[in-house]
Amino acid sequence: MPPTAPSAGQPPELLDQAHSTAAAELIDALGSDPVRGLRGAEAAQRLQRWGPNQLSQRRGRPGWLRFLGQFHDPLLYTLLAVGAVKLLLGEVSEAWVIWSVTVINAVIGDVQENRAETAIAALARSVRTSVEVVRGGQPARLASEQLVPGDLVQLEAGSKVPADLRLLTVQQLQVDESALTGESMPVRKATTPVEPRTPLAERHGMAYAGSLVTAGRASGLVVATGNATEVGHISRSLADQTSLSTPLTRQFRGFTHTLLQLVLALAGVTFLVGLARGRAAAEMFDGAVALAVGAIPEELPAIVTITLAIGVNRMARRNAIIRKLPAVEALGSTTVICSDKTGTLTQNRMTVQQIHAGGERWPLDQLAGSEHNLALRDTLLAGMLCNDARPSQHEGLVGDPTETALLQAAAVAGLDRQGCLQRQPRLDVIPFASEHQFMATLHGDGRILVKGSLEAVLARCDRQLSAAGEPQPLDGAAISAAVAAMAGAGQRVLAFASGQAALHQRQLRPQQCSSGLVFLGLQGMLDPPRPQARAAVQACQQAGITVKMITGDHRDTARWVATELGLGRGGAVRAIEGRALEDCPPEQLGRLAQQSDVFARVAPAQKLALVQALQAGGAVVAMTGDGVNDAPALKQADIGIAMGEGGTEVAREAADMLLTDDNFATIEAAVEEGRAVYLNLRKALAFVLPVNGGASMTILLGAVLGLQLPVTALQVLWLNMVCSLSLSVPLAFEPQPPHLMSQPPRPPGEPLLSGRLVRRVLLVSAFYWLLIFGVFLQVSGSGASLELARTMAIQALVLAQVVYLICLSQASRGGWRQWRRVPVLVGGISLALLLQLLFSQWSWMNRFFATAPLSGSQWLLCGLAMLAMLPVAWIGERLDPTAGFSG
């Protein structure tokens, strides 16, 4: 009677220890067969019982809920409430104008968020795979989502492991587990169980979901699918982490709360002062509402959203996809970048750099003219034939990265792999094993080719091949010196040798490789740094941003790459291994995190701890990663950056930003864009807030003095939302000022409204207040109507704003060439002037906003405000000489 299959719910508890359990015991527990696999009907039942083999994704918010979420802002809450009060008082037109402000902001935010979600969904769909399964004794190709525990899966070079597998049979299997463990080199697998507490990276009898087969073949029993896999455990842990806010969201939230409290207090003062002076309650309530509307920068949320959205689009053109709008600005405030090595700082492909043979050392790109060196040719030939990698029509070279690098080196030298295999077909092989540290192949011409570590190969040699192709005495000292020079350049060195067997021999015996071999040469290889990475690292350092490397790779390799890229101070790279971080108290971990440049052999939990330690020290941390093991640290970082090409789905889901080219240089470009976004936001604040300050001061003073209000609430709304938006939006399109990346990042604790910016805002607010009151009193005192006095006061203010905008813009610093770089500025000013012309000259607008048409002389009088604005703007520049304004 067959064993009972697992019951509904969770798989048997035994599967949690699959790595330490005998394969036969697991097969019995899962009711499977090591040759025939599951029956099709049983697999269908299990699929229905346990669900598809995919990570459960958080359900996205419905469109309507996402749209409502855009209103979650204290300023918008206040405007919604003010609109409701206006509606209750019968002032329908004013209520609709106020509400339209909030709707415009919500639409902009919703469109941008929807675009980001669509891009992420497209990336997620691109990672689905198919897998070869044996069911009922018949092989079948199925989508990986259809796998269930108990399935028998076949793996070969190039396969992506679709679920957690207990390996049953193995033929020279090597698996790249870097996505889970951070180990850059493939791991050789076996079928034997290990101790229960064995670390993930050393469970040689398991193949885990998300890893990649680089060599060999195997069959494995599915023991975990979906969320039950090791990948799933990490994915679930992300849901327990709280998404951190960015510096901008934290500062903007504090700013809006403070501003709201101030506005409500001023509105209350206005109401009470008016009542104390004997004014009617209804009249003073309208005055308080006018002050609240005037003081609240209702256009500010829209301006912030637009500025961030423009930054998103600029970054997308530079190969960075932003998932969350505030992440744009967070990049600009970054003080530390923690970068993975493989694929981000390096090219993610092993490449032969040098070949030492026949007493000569040849760089790979200088092999032309090396035909006279026969030892060099044989070294390349041995690397090509003593090799399990192979070309694939669809995937290029498939196999171990070291072996694909050897094939590429031989191809550069002009060797034809297919032709050589036809002349010297492989007859037998001794696979590489850790106990003997070499691989050997027997070929049809009787030649034995050997490759392996220097120690293993050199111990088996008694002669070496000269450049002329003649055996000569072995020069161990020269070979050791060559190895030291190559290792000092960060290269991984492989040695090559040859022997001879009888022509009729078809089987290679290990003793034939134990001695008497002829040393051919050395090949040194590494994963070279990206060409753009060094310049990008230097640009970050010049900008005051510290770059740290966090990798699962060897310390010496990581240190060499870091030295090549210029990490560290004064050329000295401080490297530390993950084991030195174990059980560190928080204070010591914080010191190590700040003082070290390279963290090698780092476990996933340590990546998270390092990010937390840096943040505890006040750093704004950007973290890059592509593996499942990087996901918790990506989510913890102020800005998580995942790889769009080589990254895992879990890493992309946890990140705030995706690099479509997996290039560190793109991070530097994104930081530059983030800084420009923040500076443009400060310009927008410097432009918008004085309008609100001037309007609220005017209304407050009018109430205190018992005067007619120079502007109405509806006119202030027009001024803030329509006119100011058309003038302030061009600031979001401002080009980057020169030398932006030569300045240090702003301190993380610096308030959004710094003391310098506050002084500028107060100065310009006072000028606007004097301008509004001055024009209003002069015109009304001459016997003109209230509507005309208010209209001229507003028009004078707008014309002064135009001059102030130009003074803030880069266009004022470079003549006509700068104006050509900011066409949006010209368009915004033109639109604002057109709107103001309609505001005063169109009869419908006169009726709706209680305005009056102006004559030519009245326009000229309003235009004098433009001249008065020039000295005020100049003084403001002296009060706030920040990089964002001075350019």
Side-chain angles (χ1 to χ4, degrees):
M1 186 173 180
T4 304
S7 60
Q10 294 295 321
E13 195 171 311
L14 178 68
L15 301 185
D16 292 337
Q17 298 294 323
H19 60 281
S20 60
T21 306
E25 192 175 350
L26 287 172
I27 292 169
D28 288 342
L30 285 166
S32 188
D33 187 286
V35 177
R36 301 183 60 81
L38 291 175
R39 298 187 305 274
E42 175 63 24
Q45 291 176 7
R46 296 188 184 190
L47 182 65
Q48 187 174 13
R49 184 186 311 160
W50 287 328
N53 174 36
Q54 60 187 22
L55 300 180
S56 59
Q57 298 181 356
R58 287 170 295 178
R59 210 178 263 181
R61 289 185 299 173
W64 64 270
L65 189 57
R66 186 184 61 220
F67 178 74
L68 289 180
Q70 308 302 323
F71 293 89
H72 184 51
D73 182 272
L75 295 180
L76 297 182
Y77 288 155
T78 305
L79 288 177
L80 291 172
V82 168
V85 171
K86 285 287 186 180
L87 187 64
L88 293 174
L89 294 176
E91 300 174 12
V92 179
S93 59
E94 292 193 16
W96 283 113
V97 171
I98 292 172
W99 286 341
S100 67
V101 171
T102 64
V103 172
I104 290 173
N105 176 72
V107 169
I108 293 172
D110 184 69
V111 168
Q112 182 58 42
E113 188 172 336
N114 182 61
R115 288 177 60 188
E117 289 181 358
T118 302
I120 299 304
L123 281 169
R125 289 193 297 270
S126 69
V127 299
R128 294 175 180 168
T129 59
S130 58
V131 61
E132 187 175 337
V133 185
V134 177
R135 284 186 176 171
Q138 299 297 319
R141 196 80 183 173
L142 301 176
S144 58
E145 290 89 344
Q146 298 181 40
L147 285 182
V148 296
D151 262 328
L152 182 63
V153 173
Q154 303 293 327
L155 300 175
E156 61 179 8
S159 300
K160 187 173 183 179
V161 180
D164 286 1
L165 309 178
R166 178 66 167 85
L167 297 174
L168 304 181
T169 63
V170 166
Q171 298 176 15
Q172 303 174 29
L173 183 70
Q174 295 184 49
V175 179
D176 178 358
E177 295 181 331
S178 58
L180 268 174
T181 65
E183 170 61 63
S184 63
M185 299 303 297
V187 178
R188 186 167 291 276
K189 293 295 184 176
T191 59
T192 52
V194 294
E195 292 297 319
R197 297 177 62 85
T198 302
L200 193 71
E202 298 174 14
R203 298 176 184 177
H204 302 303
M206 298 290 297
Y208 289 104
S211 51
L212 182 69
V213 178
T214 60
R217 296 179 60 85
S219 64
L221 185 73
V222 175
V223 295
T225 60
N227 284 353
T229 62
E230 289 295 330
V231 171
H233 294 331
I234 297 177
S235 179
R236 288 204 310 275
S237 73
L238 297 178
D240 299 331
Q241 286 181 257
T242 302
S243 294
L244 300 181
S245 57
T246 70
L248 177 68
T249 58
R250 291 193 291 266
Q251 293 183 21
F252 197 70
R253 189 182 304 119
F255 166 71
T256 52
H257 279 95
T258 302
L259 180 63
L260 188 57
Q261 292 170 3
L262 179 62
V263 167
L264 294 177
L266 288 175
V269 169
T270 301
F271 183 76
L272 294 176
V273 168
L275 289 181
R277 295 184 61 88
R279 308 281 287 273
E283 178 187 359
M284 291 320 302
F285 178 79
D286 191 60
V289 169
L291 185 139
V293 171
I296 293 176
E298 50 272 337
E299 72 273 40
L300 193 56
I303 292 170
V304 171
T305 303
I306 292 170
T307 305
L308 294 177
I310 291 168
V312 166
N313 292 330
R314 285 179 173 175
M315 289 183 183
R317 290 197 294 268
R318 302 180 76 169
N319 299 316
I321 296 176
I322 298 296
R323 294 188 59 201
K324 304 167 187 175
L325 279 179
V328 179
E329 180 276 333
L331 274 167
S333 60
T334 297
T335 59
V336 177
I337 298 176
C338 297
S339 176
D340 189 22
K341 176 183 73 68
T342 306
T344 309
L345 292 169
T346 65
Q347 299 177 28
N348 197 21
R349 59 181 181 87
M350 294 296 288
T351 305
V352 172
Q353 302 293 303
Q354 294 179 333
I355 303 101
H356 175 86
E360 301 175 338
R361 195 178 313 157
W362 293 82
L364 184 66
D365 57 359
Q366 296 179 19
L367 291 182
S370 64
E371 295 84 359
H372 70 278
N373 192 328
L374 299 183
L376 175 65
R377 181 186 179 281
D378 277 10
T379 300
L380 291 166
L381 183 69
M384 182 176 68
L385 297 182
C386 186
N387 195 316
D388 286 330
R390 58 181 175 83
S392 170
Q393 184 176 358
H394 302 291
E395 302 175 61
L397 294 176
V398 175
D400 181 279
T402 299
E403 296 196 321
T404 60
L406 296 174
L407 292 186
Q408 290 172 330
V412 169
L415 295 180
D416 176 20
R417 178 178 180 274
Q418 195 59 36
C420 290
L421 282 174
Q422 289 176 355
R423 293 188 297 272
Q424 301 167 266
R426 181 195 289 193
L427 302 178
D428 197 11
V429 60
I430 297 177
F432 179 90
S434 56
E435 55 267 23
H436 56 240
Q437 290 291 310
F438 75 89
M439 172 184 179
T441 53
L442 173 65
H443 295 270
D445 59 355
R447 198 172 192 192
I448 299 171
L449 297 177
V450 179
K451 81 165 187 287
S453 69
L454 176 70
E455 296 78 11
V457 173
L458 205 58
R460 290 167 166 79
C461 297
D462 53 18
R463 293 164 296 163
Q464 69 182 48
L465 200 65
S466 69
E470 298 294 332
Q472 61 184 30
L474 192 68
D475 187 352
I479 294 172
S480 297
V483 169
M486 297 165 87
Q491 298 173 24
R492 181 189 181 202
V493 181
L494 287 180
F496 299 84
S498 68
Q500 193 64 41
L503 287 176
H504 64 275
Q505 184 175 328
R506 292 292 181 269
Q507 188 172 5
L508 183 60
R509 296 185 294 275
Q511 57 266 33
Q512 291 179 285
C513 305
S514 61
S515 62
L517 300 180
V518 178
F519 178 80
L520 299 177
L522 307 168
Q523 294 195 51
M525 62 193 69
L526 54 79
D527 181 7
R530 286 181 177 267
Q532 314 95 321
R534 183 176 178 84
V537 167
Q538 289 177 341
C540 288
Q541 291 172 334
Q542 188 178 13
I545 301 170
T546 303
V547 180
K548 297 179 183 291
M549 180 191 296
I550 301 181
T551 178
D553 213 340
H554 295 273
R555 182 173 65 177
D556 292 342
T557 303
R559 189 203 300 270
W560 181 86
V561 172
T563 302
E564 285 293 296
L565 293 172
L567 266 65
R569 299 183 189 128
V573 174
R574 292 153 298 182
I576 189 172
E577 287 193 338
R579 61 188 176 188
L581 304 176
E582 294 175 358
D583 302 322
C584 272
E587 299 80 10
Q588 183 181 355
L589 181 62
R591 286 195 301 271
L592 291 174
Q594 292 176 5
Q595 296 171 0
S596 303
D597 305 302
V598 173
F599 302 89
R601 291 296 194 192
V602 173
Q606 291 173 332
K607 292 185 179 184
L608 176 61
L610 284 170
V611 171
Q612 291 172 329
L614 289 168
Q615 289 174 327
V620 177
V621 180
M623 169 76 186
T624 75
D626 56 1
V628 173
N629 62 336
D630 296 324
L634 289 176
K635 191 165 186 180
Q636 174 69 31
D638 294 279
I639 172 73
I641 307 170
M643 304 298 111
E645 285 185 345
T648 60
E649 185 176 353
V650 175
R652 289 196 288 261
E653 181 65 27
D656 304 293
M657 185 178 90
L658 306 176
L659 301 183
T660 59
D661 59 356
D662 294 7
N663 192 341
F664 184 84
T666 302
I667 302 174
E668 184 265 334
V671 168
E672 187 176 16
E673 291 290 353
R675 288 189 171 193
V677 164
Y678 185 75
L679 294 180
N680 290 344
L681 282 175
R682 289 194 78 245
K683 290 181 184 181
L685 285 174
F687 181 78
V688 167
L689 293 182
V691 179
N692 304 101
S696 57
M697 289 167 64
T698 299
I699 295 169
L700 179 60
L701 189 60
V704 170
L705 299 178
L707 302 175
Q708 289 282 356
L709 295 180
V711 288
T712 66
L714 196 57
Q715 289 170 345
V716 171
L717 269 176
W718 164 268
L719 191 64
N720 286 358
M721 193 60 199
V722 181
C723 181
S724 292
L725 199 55
S726 66
L727 288 176
S728 55
V729 163
L731 293 174
F733 291 88
E734 282 279 282
Q736 298 169 3
H739 314 302
L740 183 61
M741 290 297 284
S742 64
Q743 301 161 14
R746 72 179 187 277
E750 182 183 75
L752 188 62
L753 280 178
S754 64
R756 297 189 305 267
L757 183 56
V758 168
R759 290 195 295 269
R760 176 192 281 260
V761 169
L762 291 177
L763 171 71
V764 180
S765 296
F767 171 75
Y768 285 164
W769 167 64
L770 291 172
L771 181 64
I772 295 171
F773 244 107
V775 174
F776 176 77
L777 292 177
Q778 181 182 0
V779 176
S780 61
S782 65
S785 65
L786 181 62
E787 290 78 11
L788 181 62
R790 285 173 170 168
T791 304
M792 291 186 66
I794 291 174
Q795 298 294 29
L797 175 62
V798 171
L799 293 175
Q801 282 186 289
V802 170
V803 173
Y804 185 44
L805 174 64
I806 295 172
C807 292
L808 284 175
S809 172
Q810 293 290 319
S812 63
R813 301 166 178 85
W816 174 244
R817 288 187 177 181
Q818 285 289 357
W819 279 94
R820 291 171 59 188
R821 293 181 64 193
V822 285
V824 179
L825 179 68
V826 178
I829 293 174
S830 301
L831 177 61
L833 293 177
L834 176 61
L835 290 172
Q836 287 307 113
L837 189 65
L838 295 174
F839 179 73
S840 62
Q841 306 304 118
W842 188 15
S843 58
W844 185 87
M845 299 284 271
N846 295 154
R847 292 191 299 271
F848 189 84
F849 286 102
T851 58
L854 305 185
S855 65
S857 59
Q858 290 166 338
W859 275 107
L860 185 61
L861 178 63
C862 294
L864 294 176
M866 302 175 74
L867 296 176
M869 184 75 240
L870 289 173
V872 176
W874 184 86
I875 296 172
E877 186 71 31
R878 306 285 80 76
L879 291 175
D880 185 24
T882 61
F885 303 133
S886 63

